[in-house]
Amino acid sequence: MGRSLRGGSAATRSGLALCALALTGLVASTLPGPDDPEPARADAAAPDAYCPPGTEPDPEAPPGTPARVADPGVAVGAEVEVTPEQAAEYERQLNQALVHLRGHELAPPYTVPVVVHVISAEDGRGEVSDRRIREQVDVLNRAYRGGYAVGSEGVDTGFRFELSDITRTADDTWFDDFNRHRDTIRARLRQGGAETLNVYTAELGSGLLGYSTFPQDHSARPYQDGVVLAHDSLPGGGRDRFDEGHTGTHEVGHWLGLFHTFQNGCRNPGDYVDDTPYEREAAPGCPKGRDTCPERTGRDPVTNFMNYSDDACMTHFTRGQARRMVEHWVAFRDGSAR
C-alpha cells in the first residue's frame, strides 16, 4: 500500500482497501465505448513490502515497513498489500461504475475539500502546526498540477486541494495507539461526503508512514474513508528521508484510486495504467537506472509518486494515472456525476 504502506487494503477481510507520456495543461479523458479496445500498457510491480536496511519493523505495525499503503485492514498487523485478486475486484467495480459514462468526456479540474484531524498526546507530542498543515496542502497542489516534474515526465492531473477545516484532539491513547482505535477515531471525527478528503495525523510507529482507503470502499464504510499520515511525515516533520510531504501525495493517490507502480510485479496487468513501466518490487531510496522487469519495456518508475522512493526522489504522476484518478473521482466521489 504505500511507504506507509502508502495506500491499498485487505478488502475481502476488512471491507476496506488499504501503498511516460507528457500532457500540457489539464487532463481530459474520454471513456472508451463498450467495443473500444483496451489501451496497450507500457510495462508495473509486486505487492512485496520494503523494509529499508538498518530499520526494524514495529511489531504492532502492518508488514512492509516503513510503508505507505492502503488501509491495513481491521486487525493491526494484518496483510496490507493489495493482492492481485483484490486489485482485479476493484477494477471490476470501477468498470461497472463507469458503464453509464461511456463515451462521455471527463474534464478536470476538480477541487477537493480537505479536513485535517490532528491527534496529539496530552503533553504536546505529535502536534502539527497550522503552518505545516498548509504546507502539506501546498505540496499536494504542486504535486497534482505537475510542479515537481522534470522536463516532460509529468502531467497536470487537474486535481486541486483546498483546506476547509482543522480539528485537534489531545488524547494519549488515540495518539500512541492510533491503529488499534482508528475505526472509532475516524467514525467520530470524519466530516463531509465521499468528495471530502479527511486526513488524520498521529504516531504510527517506526515502520509505518501512512495508509489510505480506496474510492470503492466508501459506500460500504463511509465513516472510515480517508488518509492516515504519520505526524512527522508532513513537511518539516523531521522523519529522515520522508518529511517533505510526499507520503501525503502518495496516500492521496490511493484515495483517488491508484495502485502502487509495482502492483502485480512483472505480470499483466501490472498497476492497470498503460504508461507506467512494469516493476517487480518497490524501489528503496532513489536507485538510478533500475530495471527489475528486463523482459518488459522501460526502466522502473522510481520517481513516480506511487512508488516507495524517498520523498526527494519523487517527482510525478503520468497521464495514464491522471486519467485513472479522474475515472475514480467521477465513479465514486463526485456525487453530482452519478
Side-chain angles (χ1 to χ4, degrees):
M1 295 164 212
R3 252 174 239 167
S4 30
L5 294 175
R6 283 178 180 175
S9 106
T12 57
R13 291 189 291 275
S14 71
L16 287 175
L18 291 194
C19 257
L21 296 175
L23 179 67
T24 301
L26 302 181
V27 174
S29 173
T30 300
L31 297 179
D35 299 324
D36 293 343
E38 290 296 317
R41 230 188 144 273
D43 285 329
D48 299 330
Y50 162 65
C51 190
T55 64
E56 296 298 328
D58 182 337
E60 291 299 313
T65 57
R68 299 170 169 135
V69 301
D71 198 310
V74 171
V76 173
E79 177 58 45
V80 294
E81 292 293 349
V82 177
T83 67
E85 294 75 21
Q86 291 163 355
E89 173 58 19
Y90 278 136
E91 180 70 3
R92 185 196 67 77
Q93 292 176 29
L94 173 63
N95 290 333
Q96 183 179 44
L98 291 173
V99 166
H100 72 290
L101 294 171
R102 296 292 183 186
H104 289 242
E105 184 177 54
L106 312 180
Y110 299 111
T111 298
V112 181
V114 180
V115 178
V116 178
H117 306 282
V118 178
I119 313 299
S120 64
E122 294 169 22
D123 62 3
R125 286 177 297 125
E127 265 293 353
V128 180
S129 68
D130 287 4
R131 177 183 58 79
R132 287 179 57 210
I133 291 171
R134 289 193 296 269
E135 288 175 352
Q136 176 66 76
V137 175
D138 288 344
V139 167
L140 293 179
N141 279 312
R142 181 178 173 185
Y144 280 79
R145 73 169 183 266
Y148 292 98
V150 177
S152 61
E153 68 179 358
V155 301
D156 183 339
T157 69
F159 284 93
R160 300 293 183 265
F161 301 87
E162 186 174 277
L163 183 64
S164 62
D165 195 12
I166 300 172
T167 74
R168 298 183 179 278
T169 303
D171 186 300
D172 287 344
T173 299
W174 282 13
F175 176 72
D176 291 322
D177 204 358
F178 181 91
N179 289 327
R180 190 174 303 279
H181 300 281
R182 65 175 176 264
D183 286 3
T184 298
I185 295 170
R186 293 187 292 198
R188 290 186 185 179
L189 298 181
R190 193 184 186 286
Q191 297 182 24
E195 78 293 339
T196 301
L197 171 61
N198 281 254
V199 178
Y200 304 83
T201 69
E203 174 61 44
L204 300 185
S206 62
L208 188 64
L209 290 171
Y211 51 88
S212 173
T213 58
F214 276 92
Q216 290 88 328
D217 300 325
H218 180 271
S219 62
R221 299 183 71 189
Y223 292 106
Q224 297 304 314
D225 181 70
V227 164
V228 179
L229 301 177
H231 66 89
D232 54 357
S233 73
L234 275 69
R239 186 70 165 255
D240 184 34
R241 300 169 23 229
F242 303 119
D243 72 343
E244 297 182 21
H246 286 319
T247 291
T249 303
H250 177 112
E251 296 303 340
V252 172
H254 287 307
W255 188 79
L256 289 171
L258 297 183
F259 296 126
H260 291 138
T261 52
F262 47 91
Q263 179 71 40
N264 289 314
C266 300
R267 301 180 300 277
N268 286 325
D271 64 350
Y272 293 85
V273 177
D274 63 1
D275 59 359
T276 56
Y278 283 87
E279 185 177 26
R280 187 175 301 279
E281 57 199 10
C286 192
K288 305 295 183 183
R290 186 174 185 257
D291 188 4
T292 56
C293 296
E295 70 282 8
R296 298 286 191 175
T297 302
R299 293 180 178 177
D300 293 2
V302 171
T303 60
N304 193 283
F305 287 125
M306 299 313 295
N307 215 315
Y308 275 14
S309 310
D310 292 357
D311 274 13
C313 184
M314 295 183 146
T315 60
H316 71 286
F317 293 109
T318 69
R319 180 177 183 175
Q321 287 175 315
R323 171 194 172 100
R324 188 169 181 83
M325 287 188 280
V326 168
E327 290 175 349
H328 277 82
W329 178 264
V330 173
F332 301 109
R333 296 206 177 278
D334 182 5
S336 66
R338 291 194 289 276

